[in-house]
Amino acid sequence: MSNRYEENKLIVFNTLSRKKELFVPLNIPHIGMYVCGPTVYGDAHLGHARAAITFDLIFRYLQHLDYKVRYVRNITDVGHLENDADEGEDKIAQKARLEELEPMEVVQYYTVRYHRNMDQLNVLRPSIEPHASGHIIEQIEMIKKILTAGFAYEINGSVYFDVEKYNRSHHYGILSGRKIEDLISNTRELAGQSEKRNGYDFAIWKRADESHIMRWPSPWSDGFPGWHMECSAMGCKYLGDQFDIHGGGMDLLFPHHESEIAQSTVANGKAPVRYWLHNNMITLNGQKMGKSLGNAMSLDDIFSGNHPLLEKSYSPMTIRFFILQAQYRSTLDFSNEALQAAEKGMKKLFAANETLKQLRIDKNAPSIDVQNIEKACYEAMNDDFNSPMAIASLFEAVRVINSLKANEGSSISPDEFEMLQKLLHYFIFDILGLNSEEGTGDHGLVDGLMQTIIQLRQEARIRKDFTTSDLIRNKLGELHIELKDGKEGTNWQMK
RNA sequence: GGUUUCGUGGCCGAGUGGUUAGGCAGCGGUCUGCAAAACCGUGUACAGCGGUUCGAAUCCGCUCGAAACCUCCA
């Protein structure tokens, strides 16, 4: 049996070349993918959801194409300097002091909450989820290599990456399009950075002062690794010196990923990543949603409807569908109207998937051209994971299904029925990763009860006892159960 | 200021140089006890101004507007 990746030419937009390129893995059928995960010092918000869902979609699709994917997504629990903290205190440590907790207590708390949110969004767990704090040794070893290679210098127990020297033999800016001359004039002089030779040099090891509570011993000082070391070290450890895909949000492009390339390149002698993929931001009134901007909406807020900007609550799957309705490289603008549109559209998609099961099957049924729809779905995904286009094609299938259902005497051939059922299953559940959120309890029991209720209402209607039939419909409506009367009986759906 | 993007019909959002994106909302019709659902039909959208072209929303230039990054950030 052939593998799907042989018949699907996958094209991805590589930030490195700013072009769409044919995706060719280093070691077919294996793929290594590293994605920058969250810094666990606060609750996950919509932006985290977009990054996670984007690369979940990619992970799922690569697997669907029969690739064997090792997906590494880190937990950042150390090393990020607070912007306005002169003493260089990192985010986790600061949060810990504020709440009088152990740093690892903060990490644990928010990691658990992050996982819960991701599970709600039906985001698959990565193959490996390494913590930066668990890889201090690997980071120290890598720093040693960089020092040995001569691309870093030590001052007062801190180690800095020598960007200027690196740029003489390599191109610092290869990913972000920046030129070092521009960096010189644009780097802000922050306090506490005066020990660097150049403003654009970055710390790969930082000496901790007395008050800094997260610290580790190293050959240079008691301190902590620099901002970008963890991804270089962990990516290398689990995926090798060079691997296929590195993902993350566009806001990480510079300096994070640019610096990662520089570090790994000098430590390992080769560029670490073949394809750089970046998801765009979610905006609110045209502005990036971000924790530091104070306009972030936590996922829990959205799921509960507990936020002044929310007209109602939105389910995790609504959020997932909303995000998948935009291509990952476009900004996506948040609004109640857009979310409600997504919610309705998704319900329609699920309903049609159920309706499919009720279609009349007939060997002699005319073709409905399922093959074309299938082709369009795969072509969309093969073109840089264009989920909105794939979804548009699925709605083509929805129209066909509903239209067959609406026209008495219409039927579908067994072959096409099977093909369509498989197609919908693949795309809705396996690739887009949606689930219907229904039947948390005993589905069989609920369905049985509903059939009885529907039958009683039907009998009332036949008696023209519309008082009773409307009462049933209204009471069920209060329970968010919607009855849908059709030519061949009544269906029900959670709304 | 530098780097990188973007500007599509009421809203969200795809898009190949010439053919319907799609969803939601709206309008007309069918169906229905009524409604909902569903189906059928329906929208002269591509910031502005030039240019290239037989033909451009799609290529080029300029203007206007917006965003991200240059500091932690998905």
Side-chain angles (χ1 to χ4, degrees):
Chain A
M1 192 186 146
S2 66
N3 294 303
R4 284 202 194 93
Y5 59 72
E6 283 165 6
E7 53 210 47
N8 286 279
K9 240 175 56 181
L10 181 60
I11 307 287
V12 302
F13 184 90
N14 191 350
T15 309
L16 212 45
S17 62
R18 296 189 191 283
K19 285 193 187 97
K20 285 186 182 177
E21 297 177 12
L22 181 64
F23 177 72
V24 184
L26 280 166
N27 305 298
I28 289 181
H30 299 280
I31 290 179
M33 176 162 87
Y34 188 96
V35 174
C36 289
T39 306
V40 281
Y41 69 108
D43 275 332
H45 58 70
L46 213 46
H48 293 99
R50 187 169 202 195
I53 288 168
T54 294
F55 291 100
D56 188 53
L57 173 75
I58 292 172
F59 182 39
R60 285 168 178 274
Y61 189 60
L62 292 174
Q63 288 185 315
H64 179 76
L65 293 184
D66 297 317
Y67 285 117
K68 308 271 181 277
V69 188
R70 180 180 291 165
Y71 174 20
V72 179
R73 187 186 64 202
N74 65 296
I75 296 282
T76 296
D77 55 358
V78 59
H80 283 243
L81 296 170
E82 194 67 21
N83 57 344
D84 54 357
D86 288 352
E87 65 273 30
E89 186 170 35
D90 78 37
K91 283 195 161 167
I92 306 292
Q94 194 189 48
K95 184 90 181 178
R97 278 155 52 101
L98 290 172
E99 297 185 357
E100 295 187 353
L101 298 165
E102 271 298 317
M104 281 300 143
E105 206 174 348
V106 177
V107 166
Q108 180 76 14
Y109 178 78
Y110 287 114
T111 302
V112 166
R113 290 172 69 83
Y114 178 76
H115 282 151
R116 188 175 46 80
N117 282 152
M118 292 307 118
D119 289 347
Q120 287 172 306
L121 291 167
N122 206 25
V123 169
L124 297 173
R125 298 280 176 102
S127 323
I128 303 176
E129 195 167 43
H131 284 237
S133 63
H135 296 74
I136 302 295
I137 291 169
E138 286 84 352
Q139 297 182 66
I140 289 174
E141 289 308 306
M142 195 157 194
I143 294 165
K144 283 185 192 165
K145 279 196 195 173
I146 296 169
L147 278 165
T148 306
F151 287 97
Y153 54 91
E154 183 197 343
I155 292 181
N156 297 331
S158 292
V159 183
Y160 295 97
F161 191 90
D162 191 337
V163 171
E164 198 204 35
K165 177 164 184 194
Y166 174 81
N167 195 59
R168 273 185 243 140
S169 47
H170 304 74
H171 179 197
Y172 188 78
I174 189 170
L175 184 67
S176 58
R178 281 174 168 73
K179 296 189 193 75
I180 197 159
E181 307 87 72
D182 300 329
L183 291 171
I184 293 165
S185 53
N186 288 316
T187 305
R188 298 182 199 180
E189 282 306 321
L190 295 171
Q193 293 188 342
S194 49
E195 61 189 26
K196 294 195 283 190
R197 285 184 196 163
N198 287 299
Y200 44 76
D201 290 350
F202 54 89
I204 55 182
W205 185 265
K206 192 94 174 107
R207 183 173 53 82
D209 61 27
E210 315 306 307
S211 63
H212 200 99
I213 46 182
M214 289 188 98
R215 57 205 298 151
W216 291 266
S218 81
W220 313 286
S221 63
D222 275 13
F224 51 96
W227 316 330
H228 321 301
M229 279 313 301
E230 55 179 281
C231 294
S232 284
M234 299 191 293
C236 172
K237 168 158 183 167
Y238 296 112
L239 300 172
D241 289 353
Q242 195 176 49
F243 52 91
D244 299 296
I245 296 173
H246 190 129
M250 272 185 190
D251 50 355
L252 298 177
L253 220 148
F254 189 91
H256 186 55
H257 291 157
E258 191 71 62
S259 302
E260 237 184 283
I261 291 175
Q263 292 169 346
S264 297
T265 301
V266 297
N268 299 325
K270 59 172 93 161
V273 175
R274 308 238 305 166
Y275 302 92
W276 284 91
L277 271 47
H278 289 96
N279 65 277
N280 214 322
M281 303 291 103
I282 286 188
T283 57
L284 183 59
N285 299 322
Q287 271 232 318
K288 174 185 170 181
M289 191 180 282
K291 194 175 165 65
S292 48
L293 297 168
N295 65 349
M297 241 178 248
S298 83
L299 291 169
D300 284 337
D301 286 345
I302 293 167
F303 300 159
S304 67
N306 188 16
H307 190 286
L309 289 173
L310 294 168
E311 287 169 9
K312 64 188 278 298
S313 68
Y314 301 97
S315 73
M317 276 313 112
T318 299
I319 297 303
R320 186 169 179 117
F321 191 76
F322 170 67
I323 286 172
L324 291 173
Q325 265 192 314
Q327 213 272 348
Y328 74 91
R329 286 189 293 112
S330 306
T331 55
L332 172 59
D333 202 49
F334 168 92
S335 71
N336 280 282
E337 219 176 341
L339 245 31
Q340 280 161 34
E343 184 175 47
K344 286 198 179 179
M346 184 179 65
K347 294 233 156 107
K348 189 172 168 180
L349 181 59
F350 280 125
N353 188 47
E354 291 301 311
T355 304
L356 174 63
K357 296 170 188 160
Q358 302 163 9
L359 294 185
R360 198 177 294 105
I361 295 174
D362 184 347
K363 276 202 300 269
N364 302 316
S367 170
I368 50 170
D369 219 351
V370 176
Q371 214 155 13
N372 252 340
I373 297 174
E374 183 180 52
K375 190 162 160 257
C377 284
Y378 278 100
E379 276 176 1
M381 287 303 292
N382 290 340
D383 183 13
D384 198 28
F385 313 101
N386 197 326
S387 51
M389 259 179 78
I391 289 171
S393 295
L394 292 179
F395 276 109
E396 180 69 18
V398 168
R399 211 200 71 240
V400 168
I401 290 167
N402 286 334
S403 155
L404 286 175
K405 172 78 177 167
N407 293 314
E408 270 179 296
S410 293
S411 53
I412 182 170
S413 76
D415 287 353
E416 288 202 317
F417 174 77
E418 201 183 320
M419 200 191 296
L420 190 51
Q421 200 171 35
K422 213 153 87 176
L423 177 72
L424 291 180
H425 189 88
Y426 281 158
F427 274 83
I428 297 175
F429 301 104
D430 294 353
I431 296 171
L432 297 176
L434 301 166
N435 62 38
S436 62
E437 296 179 324
E438 280 174 29
T440 45
D442 189 333
H443 210 72
L445 176 64
V446 173
D447 206 51
L449 290 170
M450 282 309 301
Q451 290 314 317
T452 306
I453 294 168
I454 285 168
Q455 191 184 341
L456 287 172
R457 174 165 167 272
Q458 188 53 32
E459 283 166 13
R461 291 174 74 198
I462 289 165
R463 287 197 306 274
K464 301 224 186 293
D465 178 5
F466 298 123
T467 314
T468 303
S469 67
D470 287 352
L471 178 78
I472 291 171
R473 186 170 67 196
N474 293 337
K475 286 289 178 189
L476 289 174
E478 286 170 21
L479 297 171
H480 301 292
I481 293 169
E482 181 180 35
L483 293 181
K484 298 196 285 192
D485 294 329
K487 282 211 164 65
E488 290 165 33
T490 301
N491 289 309
W492 67 278
Q493 185 184 6
M494 299 298 296
K495 63 179 177 191

